[in-house]
Amino acid sequence: MPRATVIDHAMTERLLDHAAGIARAAQLLREGALVAFGTETVYGLGADATDAAAVAGIFAAKRRPHFNPLICHYESAEAAFRDVVADRRARVVAAALWPGPLTLVLPRRPDCRIALLTGAGLDTQAVRVPAHATAQALCQAVGRPVAGPSANMSGQVSPTTAQHVLDGLQGRIAAVLDSGPCAVGIESTVLDLSGPTAVLLRHGGATIEAIEALIGPVARLPAPQEPLRGPGMLASHYAPSLPVRLDATSVAADEALLAFGPPLQGAGAIFQLSATGSLTEAAARLFDGLRSLDRTGLRGIAAMPIPATGLGLAIADRLGRAAAPRG
Ligand code: AMP
Ligand code: MG
């Protein structure tokens, strides 16, 4: 009997932590399926980060009502730095603290393979090399960046065992690669090195002292209760520069149309999110659409109504932020 695959009753495969299980997990990921995997921090919900439809599946499986930028996992710093620009600071911290519980936010390269949805449309991308041997072997076998937020339903605590993952996501994902309990159990430290000042975005498994010993002072973000910036203005939210008009039922010739289903007539430019009305397809194409319509230089973007269910909630959330008044 092959030990690789145990089919759980509700369809989510529980894969064991050896060569055959890792190979099966990698095959599923390469086919666009969702596979949860253990790391030294928490279990991640993995998808091929170059496949926007697979990444849309992460948000659908978690029932996350908004798109936030996801961390991409790699087997080595060399692999990560193919997709993002690493300056001297990034190379120094990577050399000292990778593999490990540290995530770096860096500018996307022009030839970055990662889908825009993975980074929520931003010009930056968060990357990490996990220390866990199984996670590393998985990334190597996939041969592509693996996007992975924590493998729990939105609003629930991060899972540190395969059973936690199944408790929340049984039947909603293709497989979980069971590599036992996570050693660190808290999330990775997130360090933004995309600008001239290094900024700590999240405390986590790598200490700020260790980072400052390597690259000098690191700025802290203001405490979250300080309402310094309005919705949509946070650094982690992409917003187009053209104004966005929601729930458009007509469109002018000097407007660009973000269409969902049969397009309204008369727009100066059209980007079709999904001709068939698929919310997964629309989510996968959302940031490409906003960016391409932004480049038209028209007066604004008219967005057709999106159904407020499933991934439609996250799409509407992001369009609402794009439409909110800018200050
Ligand atoms: P999780 O996926 O749950 O581990 O959370 C990822 C964390 O990294 C969140 O706090 C994100 O806001 C942050 N993050 C990921 N990518 C970026 C980015 N490009 N810019 C700023 N923050 C990011
Ligand atoms: Mg989480």
Side-chain angles (χ1 to χ4, degrees):
M1 271 290 287
R3 283 198 307 136
T5 306
V6 178
I7 307 289
D8 262 299
H9 63 275
M11 305 298 284
T12 296
E13 296 177 30
R14 189 170 191 148
L15 303 172
L16 301 179
D17 181 12
H18 53 47
I22 293 168
R24 172 71 179 150
Q27 177 199 8
L28 286 166
L29 286 168
R30 291 177 64 91
E31 289 169 354
L34 303 180
V35 178
F37 61 100
T39 73
E40 73 277 23
T41 60
V42 300
Y43 271 74
L45 179 50
D48 174 355
T50 68
D51 178 346
V55 174
I58 288 180
F59 294 100
K62 287 177 66 97
R63 292 216 177 94
R64 196 176 253 185
H66 58 272
F67 297 121
N68 62 327
L70 305 179
I71 298 168
C72 282
H73 298 77
Y74 295 85
E75 77 269 22
S76 67
E78 190 191 1
F81 295 160
R82 279 179 58 195
D83 287 322
V84 291
V85 182
D87 63 6
R88 198 194 63 84
R89 297 168 305 174
R91 291 184 184 285
V92 167
V93 288
L97 300 175
W98 276 354
L102 173 69
T103 295
L104 298 180
V105 174
L106 295 167
R108 288 170 65 101
R109 283 188 178 279
D111 60 349
C112 182
R113 299 168 292 171
I114 301 167
L116 276 177
L117 179 64
T118 309
L122 297 170
D123 295 325
T124 57
Q125 176 61 51
V127 297
R128 178 166 105 81
V129 178
H132 197 290
T134 308
Q136 268 189 27
L138 179 64
C139 290
Q140 190 158 23
V142 174
R144 298 176 198 151
V146 177
S150 55
N152 51 275
M153 294 292 273
S154 186
Q156 316 229 306
V157 296
S158 296
T160 54
T161 67
Q163 190 56 50
H164 292 165
V165 174
L166 291 171
D167 289 347
L169 294 170
Q170 174 81 270
R172 303 180 64 79
I173 60 175
V176 57
L177 179 57
D178 186 351
S179 52
C182 301
V184 176
I186 55 169
E187 280 97 346
S188 60
T189 301
V190 180
L191 181 67
D192 186 351
L193 294 179
S194 63
T197 304
V199 183
L200 180 74
L201 298 181
R202 177 173 80 185
H203 285 283
T207 68
I208 185 78
E209 291 83 0
I211 295 166
E212 290 190 322
L214 292 162
I215 58 168
V218 171
R220 275 68 160 173
L221 272 189
Q225 64 270 22
E226 290 175 38
L228 280 185
R229 294 184 278 190
M233 300 309 290
L234 293 171
S236 58
H237 294 144
Y238 166 76
S241 56
L242 290 184
V244 175
R245 187 163 66 79
L246 298 178
D247 296 325
T249 51
S250 65
V251 62
D254 59 354
E255 285 184 305
L257 181 69
L258 191 64
F260 181 77
L264 298 168
Q265 297 300 304
I270 295 183
F271 186 97
Q272 178 59 266
L273 286 175
S274 172
T276 59
S278 155
L279 288 170
T280 302
E281 186 184 19
R285 290 168 58 74
L286 177 64
F287 293 104
D288 297 281
L290 288 173
R291 280 179 183 255
S292 82
L293 293 182
D294 217 13
R295 285 193 296 266
T296 61
L298 290 165
R299 176 167 60 86
I301 297 172
M304 288 177 63
I306 306 281
T309 76
L311 281 173
L313 295 171
I315 296 170
D317 170 79
R318 184 47 46 110
L319 289 174
R321 290 172 191 277
R326 320 275 169 81

